[in-house]
Amino acid sequence: QSALTQPPSASGSPGQSVTISCTGTSSDVGGYNYVSWYQQHPGQAPKLLIYDVSKRPSGVPDRFSGSKSGNTASLTVSGLQAEDEADYYCSSYGGSNNDVFGTGTKVTVL
Amino acid sequence: QVQLVQSGAEVKKPGASVKASCKASGYTFTDYYIHWVRQAPGHGLEWMGWINPNSGGTSYAQKFQGRVTVTRDTSISTAYMELSRLTSDDTAVYYCARTTAHSLFDCWGQGVLVTVSS
């Protein structure tokens, strides 16, 4: 199972929006609605932001939203804030009891 | 509150094995799968495998087949991950994480740094 492809970096000014893509195949992202997104600050464990493509756990601001089209899932962070500067990872169920993570995207708030 | 607490950092020599633990609290241990995910320094997350604490059933990423073993002790709500034949490429932070559904890692341990060095 190959890692899902994410852009290495993304950036935006405070208040702007940034969208991160996560590209897989019909065997993972495109085949199941089991895509999640995680935020990871330096030295910390990842934190769940989005699950089942577009659902938010309680406590996650609605500035974070997810979507999917074909083999590509996307995470949009609206109204960028300084604390949103972090690494973001997608994950997907890959069938056959396997999961796979994305390559990760570093978001910089300018 | 739901919590996963992992064992402390380890330093191992090439060729050795490491066994990390992950103690769950705040929920019924046998109700949720425990996964292991690693992150090499400066790199991304890599899924390794899971255990169903209720049945003991496991699934591993093909990359780690034959080298990783995940077990559990339900009496103390603890999962274990043993990785054998270590090389320097195995130097990483190893996380345990709980899933409530496919690819839904809702609670993570603090991670344990495993350093492989001669």
Side-chain angles (χ1 to χ4, degrees):
Chain A
Q1 193 97 46
S2 298
L4 308 175
T5 301
Q6 298 181 231
S9 62
S11 63
S13 299
Q16 290 187 331
S17 295
V18 65
T19 297
I20 303 166
S21 61
C22 168
T23 301
T25 69
S26 58
S27 297
D28 37 60
V29 174
Y32 308 93
N33 287 323
Y34 296 127
V35 176
S36 300
W37 288 91
Y38 303 85
Q39 177 190 62
Q40 185 181 37
H41 287 108
Q44 296 185 19
K47 172 191 171 186
L48 177 66
L49 290 178
I50 297 287
Y51 67 97
D52 292 354
V53 176
S54 60
K55 298 177 182 177
R56 269 188 318 275
S58 61
V60 173
D62 59 6
R63 303 186 294 104
F64 295 93
S65 61
S67 63
K68 190 185 85 167
S69 177
N71 297 337
T72 299
S74 298
L75 172 73
T76 298
V77 186
S78 305
L80 266 176
Q81 300 181 4
E83 59 261 36
D84 298 333
E85 186 160 296
D87 294 326
Y88 292 81
Y89 294 91
C90 61
S91 73
S92 173
Y93 180 61
S96 301
N97 294 316
N98 285 351
D99 289 281
V100 59
F101 282 95
T103 51
T105 299
K106 181 176 180 60
V107 169
T108 301
V109 181
L110 302 171
Chain B
Q1 73 282 21
V2 175
Q3 201 171 3
L4 297 174
V5 177
Q6 300 186 233
S7 45
E10 302 258 16
V11 179
K12 296 292 182 181
K13 293 196 181 302
S17 298
V18 66
K19 188 171 185 177
S21 68
C22 172
K23 183 172 176 60
S25 62
Y27 72 98
T28 302
F29 179 62
T30 50
D31 283 352
Y32 301 92
Y33 285 28
I34 293 289
H35 293 238
W36 289 86
V37 177
R38 77 177 186 180
Q39 185 170 36
H43 286 77
L45 302 173
E46 183 174 31
W47 180 78
M48 299 180 69
W50 56 251
I51 187 166
N52 175 345
N54 187 43
S55 66
T58 56
S59 180
Y60 304 126
Q62 191 171 9
K63 173 178 179 176
F64 300 102
Q65 291 272 4
R67 211 161 64 92
V68 69
T69 304
V70 179
T71 57
R72 93 296 191 209
D73 184 340
T74 57
S75 69
I76 55 172
S77 300
T78 299
Y80 303 91
M81 185 282 300
E82 183 169 21
L83 188 62
S84 62
R85 304 193 301 277
L86 294 169
T87 71
S88 57
D89 289 341
D90 294 315
T91 293
V93 174
Y94 289 76
Y95 293 100
C96 62
R98 184 185 85 160
T99 55
T100 56
H102 284 311
S103 206
L104 202 173
F105 304 90
D106 72 329
C107 180
W108 295 68
Q110 82 276 20
V112 54
L113 175 62
V114 175
T115 303
V116 183
S117 174
S118 55

